Amino acid sequence: MLLNEFISNDTVKDELSEIMSNNSVPHAIIIEGAKGTGRKTLATIIAQYCVCSSDNQRPCGICPDCKKAEQEIHPDISVFDGNNSGAYSIDSIRNIRSSAFIKPNEAHTKVYILLNCDKMQSPAQNAFLKVLEEPPENVVFIMTVMSATSLLQTVRSRSRIFSLFPVGISEAVSEISKRFPDKNPDEIKHIVSICDGNIGMSLQMLENGGEEAQKLAEDIFRAIPLTAEYQLLLLTSKLADNRNFASSVLDCMLEIGAECVKASVGAKTLSETALEVAKKLPKKRIFNIMENISKARNILNTNVNLNFFSTWLCSVLRN
């Protein structure tokens, strides 16, 4: 995919287009946005630009380097994912830091794509900071997060931040209808509306029937500020029936939580649930909720008893 094919977010595309035209891609980039807004896609486009071997417009999308980048097999593009255990341990970050000083294999520039950096703890971020402060030549680091506020200020200050937002409802419906021509248009519009124009989330719902998980995640968030605990306990108990369903609900909760963080600092969000909850809870509480949801996601991956898990989740969300 080329930059002009990236859906909506025209401000970000204009900024990147100018950067690419001037051949001035910064050494560290942060792409923030909810899951499904195209963070990885945009990171791949930037990486393609960095390794593209065309003498004309870059990325060209047709040279061998662009093709390898698109297929995720280019030797000078390394991808790490915070959802994989140990991806952002201090030792892993030190290895990234050391390898960054090794010259590229084929391209002029070496690119590191670090996905889901929300999972990178402060000690690892501090270790990573050392290479951001004195970066080697011809190396670009691209980090994706749900909210840049999950990263240390020292990391943010040494990076260029691009914020992605869900597209408009009509634009999202049009795009998804192209991919699902046999789907009922009313069903597509309903799901897109639930997802506030988030194309990735809408596609996931259409493919995996995730509408129920999204609704439960929103109901849980709305129940957190309530004085009575019973309603929240009743809702979290629904996670005890199926581990995969519980996992989908937690994924949706992480996305809503990221939007809550944005709303709490005055940033734009299309999530009505996030806007509602952000008005009722202090910023510190929202950050604490996000931390506990991430912890719950990790615990769920173990062989935990689901009845115990749902009760525990209710308890930590109330703290």
Side-chain angles (χ1 to χ4, degrees), residues 156-188:
R156 300 199 303 268
S157 65
R158 288 164 176 78
S159 309
R160 180 77 175 268
I161 301 175
F162 296 98
S163 302
L164 298 181
F165 298 99
V167 305
I169 299 297
S170 59
E171 189 175 3
V173 169
S174 175
E175 180 64 27
I176 292 173
S177 295
K178 295 176 186 176
R179 306 190 195 190
F180 291 90
D182 298 328
K183 283 283 185 181
N184 186 315
D186 290 335
E187 180 186 358
I188 292 176

Side-chain angles (χ1 to χ4, degrees), residues 12 25 131-132 161-162 174 213 219 226 253 260 285 295 302:
V12 170
V25 171
V131 76
L132 294 184
I161 301 175
F162 296 98
S174 175
D219 288 344
L226 300 178
M253 289 179 66
C260 281
R285 175 89 183 276
K295 188 184 298 183
T302 67

Side-chain angles (χ1 to χ4, degrees), residues 114-307:
L114 285 71
L115 304 172
N116 301 303
C117 285
D118 318 75
K119 309 292 179 66
M120 192 186 298
Q121 300 298 314
S122 294
Q125 289 188 46
N126 280 319
F128 184 50
L129 184 61
K130 294 183 179 180
V131 76
L132 294 184
E133 291 175 331
E134 298 180 8
E137 291 185 5
N138 303 327
V139 172
V140 173
F141 297 99
I142 307 172
M143 297 163 271
T144 75
V145 292
M146 285 190 285
S147 173
T149 56
S150 64
L151 298 175
L152 297 175
Q153 172 59 32
T154 46
V155 173
R156 300 199 303 268
S157 65
R158 288 164 176 78
S159 309
R160 180 77 175 268
I161 301 175
F162 296 98
S163 302
L164 298 181
F165 298 99
V167 305
I169 299 297
S170 59
E171 189 175 3
V173 169
S174 175
E175 180 64 27
I176 292 173
S177 295
K178 295 176 186 176
R179 306 190 195 190
F180 291 90
D182 298 328
K183 283 283 185 181
N184 186 315
D186 290 335
E187 180 186 358
I188 292 176
K189 186 174 182 179
H190 175 63
I191 288 177
V192 168
S193 298
I194 290 174
C195 297
D196 296 315
N198 186 310
I199 290 179
M201 287 176 61
S202 300
L203 291 172
Q204 185 178 19
M205 282 197 177
L206 285 166
E207 293 167 352
N208 304 322
E211 183 176 346
E212 185 181 352
Q214 176 68 21
K215 184 179 184 305
L216 180 55
E218 292 182 353
D219 288 344
I220 289 174
F221 255 94
R222 286 192 169 104
I224 292 173
L226 300 178
T227 304
E229 186 177 9
Y230 174 73
Q231 181 64 24
L232 182 59
L233 181 60
L234 185 66
L235 291 167
T236 58
S237 68
K238 296 180 180 180
L239 302 180
D241 296 332
N242 183 288
R243 192 175 299 272
N244 289 333
F245 177 68
S247 178
S248 296
V249 172
L250 288 177
D251 284 345
C252 292
M253 289 179 66
L254 281 172
E255 292 156 8
I256 296 170
E259 294 303 303
C260 281
V261 171
K262 289 182 180 178
S264 70
V265 297
K268 179 182 178 182
T269 177
L270 297 177
S271 171
E272 293 182 4
T273 301
L275 287 169
E276 178 183 324
V277 174
K279 291 177 181 178
K280 297 178 180 179
L281 297 177
K283 193 187 308 180
K284 184 177 180 180
R285 175 89 183 276
I286 294 173
F287 280 112
N288 189 48
I289 289 170
M290 282 288 287
E291 184 178 340
N292 283 323
I293 295 172
S294 296
K295 188 184 298 183
R297 193 71 182 79
N298 293 330
I299 291 174
L300 189 63
N301 289 332
T302 67
N303 193 27
V304 64
N305 178 283
L306 290 183
N307 287 310

